[in-house]
Amino acid sequence: MTDTLYIVVPCYNEEEVLPETARRLGDKLEELVRAGKISEKSRVLFVNDGSRDRTWETISALHASDRRFCGLDLSRNRGHQNALLAGLMTAKDRADMTISMDADLQDDIGAVDAMVDKYYAGCDVVYGVRSSRKKDTFFKRATARGFYRVMNFLGAETVFDHADYRLLSRRALEGLAQFREVNLFLRGIVPLVGFSSGVVEYERGERFAGESKYPLKKMISFAMEGITSLSTKPIRYIALLGFLIFLVSIAMLIWSIFRWAHGDTVLGWASVICSVWAIGGLILLSLGVIGEYIGKIYLETKARPRFLIRELLEDKDGETL
Ligand code: UDP
Ligand code: MG
């Protein structure tokens, strides 16, 4: 028996590329069905993220002409990550595995085969990772690298050079469904879900048509979202800074007593300088401590699952001895 694959594609104002994307994905499905790798029930699910152009009409027409194309229409624009999640959660009960990819054909469809192979080899998560950034400008390469470094430093661990092109098994999706946070950063959450994972490399191409929906402003807010929704490390760094400043104030104190003992200071200088440093340090340190508790409250309110089970070995009837 072969498993069912759903390819989930979030679309925002993508009317120009959709017909071509659908054609190529349809061909890919057919090829995989012929090769006996996926079942005939496999589908492509387009999620319309509140587009203002004729994207939904295009999706409806595709669905009318070919039943392998399905559509999901969101009530309004909710952003890439939420659109993707909506598609994945819809596919969860219908598919054994899902592959998410962008509508603009930047993700190489050829990598789908390798992902499906890895799924059959036992991977629950397969990350599509860009093989090279040769085509990128120096600026883009440097900012991208900086992006991953800063993210990791601030506690938002992500897979290097991996965007949202990935395969998820039903088990991984069910795990993902238990992460109930409103501020969603899939790239950071998927590694937290766990299970066996693999990597498939692919060459990322140019956008087929239309323009990017991710201008620099959105990129920066995306990075901020990733850091603040995954980690409370920034708070910890504030506390650390406060502690360091407090240490400096002690050094200053010793130094100014030394100067005072030699009698070469203006009256009052030593005490003023020392208290400025000490109080500044103590304020930051206390802020960090308070922040630490707020961070805990923040993480608690997310009500994330504390564990996910890979397998349970027990008697056939489920009885324990
Ligand atoms: N997208 C979406 N909602 C949005 C913005 C983008 O569903 O509010 C989709 C878009 O249609 C595309 C994917 O997210 O399929 C990635 O967007 P884009 O290609 O513009 O980003 P880039 O590749 O430039 O980073
Ligand atoms: Mg793109």
Side-chain angles (χ1 to χ4, degrees):
M1 211 192 75
T2 47
D3 288 349
T4 303
L5 165 72
Y6 266 58
I7 299 180
V8 179
V9 187
C11 312
Y12 177 60
N13 296 345
E14 301 283 9
E15 62 174 356
E16 290 166 66
V17 292
L18 268 182
E20 179 63 19
T21 308
R23 197 183 60 75
R24 293 201 202 170
L25 287 177
D27 289 351
K28 183 47 91 186
L29 277 191
E30 196 174 321
E31 186 190 318
L32 287 168
V33 170
R34 283 236 184 92
K37 284 190 181 171
I38 57 172
S39 82
E40 295 218 331
K41 284 188 277 174
S42 300
R43 300 281 180 270
V44 179
L45 177 62
F46 292 108
V47 183
N48 176 35
D49 184 19
S51 302
R52 273 167 296 181
D53 64 359
R54 296 185 52 77
T55 297
W56 182 242
E57 283 78 359
T58 315
I59 295 173
S60 311
L62 283 167
H63 175 67
S65 68
D66 189 336
R67 68 189 171 85
R68 293 176 308 162
F69 298 125
C70 308
L72 183 70
D73 195 18
L74 299 191
S75 62
R76 51 160 296 169
N77 181 253
R78 295 292 292 122
H80 177 202
Q81 299 284 296
N82 288 311
L84 186 51
L85 188 74
L88 291 176
M89 289 304 119
T90 308
K92 176 169 72 79
D93 307 318
R94 298 166 170 81
D96 300 301
M97 58 184 133
T98 59
I99 291 181
S100 48
M101 65 166 73
D102 290 353
D104 56 8
L105 296 170
Q106 283 192 284
D107 301 330
D108 172 23
I109 292 178
V112 165
D113 302 62
M115 287 187 172
V116 173
D117 288 345
K118 289 235 154 136
Y119 164 81
Y120 283 115
C123 290
D124 283 285
V125 182
V126 184
Y127 301 101
V129 169
R130 301 177 59 148
S131 56
S132 74
R133 283 186 176 268
K134 267 186 245 132
K135 281 191 197 146
D136 284 352
T137 58
F138 175 74
F139 176 75
K140 175 79 194 176
R141 253 202 318 261
T143 48
R145 195 138 295 162
F147 174 81
Y148 289 100
R149 289 251 166 82
V150 171
M151 294 279 286
N152 279 351
F153 179 68
L154 292 177
E157 277 160 40
T158 46
V159 178
F160 195 70
D161 267 351
H162 159 69
D164 280 299
Y165 189 21
R166 74 174 80 82
L167 179 143
L168 291 171
S169 71
R170 177 189 283 218
R171 183 161 68 169
L173 282 172
E174 273 164 4
L176 184 64
Q178 291 187 48
F179 286 75
R180 306 217 159 269
E181 42 218 90
V182 178
N183 297 303
L184 189 78
F185 188 74
L186 278 173
R187 274 175 230 189
I189 298 292
V190 171
L192 291 181
V193 172
F195 299 123
S196 346
S197 65
V199 164
V200 166
E201 296 208 333
Y202 74 100
E203 193 83 38
R204 193 163 160 95
E206 305 274 319
R207 194 171 232 289
F208 180 73
E211 56 193 35
S212 170
K213 275 87 195 170
Y214 267 105
L216 189 64
K217 205 173 112 215
K218 259 198 192 172
M219 289 267 288
I220 292 172
S221 73
F222 187 57
M224 290 291 289
E225 172 89 16
I227 293 160
T228 54
S229 67
L230 281 175
S231 105
T232 49
K233 265 202 187 168
I235 297 173
R236 203 152 287 164
Y237 288 132
I238 292 177
L240 189 67
L241 187 68
F243 183 65
L244 289 179
I245 291 180
F246 187 64
L247 283 187
V248 171
S249 85
I250 292 175
M252 293 280 285
L253 182 72
I254 296 168
W255 183 59
S256 57
I257 288 174
F258 177 76
R259 297 279 306 265
W260 172 78
H262 280 76
D264 54 359
T265 51
V266 183
L267 196 65
W269 173 83
S271 53
V272 168
I273 287 294
C274 284
S275 37
V276 166
W277 279 82
I279 291 191
L282 282 177
I283 289 177
L284 274 187
L285 186 60
S286 328
L287 267 183
V289 171
I290 295 171
E292 194 71 27
Y293 284 99
I294 295 181
K296 286 250 156 64
I297 297 172
Y298 174 63
L299 292 178
E300 287 292 338
T301 55
K302 284 180 188 274
R304 284 183 184 169
R306 270 160 301 174
F307 52 82
L308 295 168
I309 293 166
R310 187 195 299 271
E311 200 178 354
L312 169 67
L313 292 178
E314 61 180 349
D315 286 358
K316 268 241 166 69
D317 334 320
E319 279 171 29
T320 41
L321 294 173

